[in-house]
Amino acid sequence: MAIELASIIEFSHTHCIGICAVLVPTNLCLAGATTALVALDRSTRTIYTNVAVSLLPAIVLLLHVATWWAVGVIMLPTFILPILALICLANQAYAVIAPQQMRNIVIKVSKFSVAKYQQLVEN
């Protein structure tokens, strides 16, 4: 039994709030997890597994927005959501292509943040 495209679009539109309520935090958490795994210098296999898992919600979010574009709905969320998905995908790609650079950036940013926090606490 084949699933019709119209049924998928109808499901996507009917459950839009729920779909976005799941996919947005999932994308953000998985992108953060990838960044943390790279920063903690975990194994390549662990990072690649996380990246592979992270691809699904980002692609589903892009397809969900595409169903809205297909029916002519052009609003601010239909631009923000794909940008979010693409940023998450770029984060995943960076973790695969240049993990050492990503790790160095995260370490520098965290050291800078800790130093600024200590300055605030001391004053």
Side-chain angles (χ1 to χ4, degrees), residues 83-122:
I83 289 170
L84 170 72
L86 292 172
I87 289 171
C88 290
L89 288 171
N91 183 68
Q92 307 306 333
Y94 193 45
V96 170
I97 294 168
Q100 198 56 42
Q101 280 183 308
M102 185 180 203
R103 182 174 190 275
N104 291 339
I105 290 170
V106 172
I107 289 171
K108 286 178 185 176
V109 168
S110 62
K111 284 181 180 178
F112 177 79
S113 299
V114 168
K116 287 298 178 184
Y117 175 75
Q118 287 174 341
Q119 285 179 354
L120 287 171
V121 171
E122 290 173 2

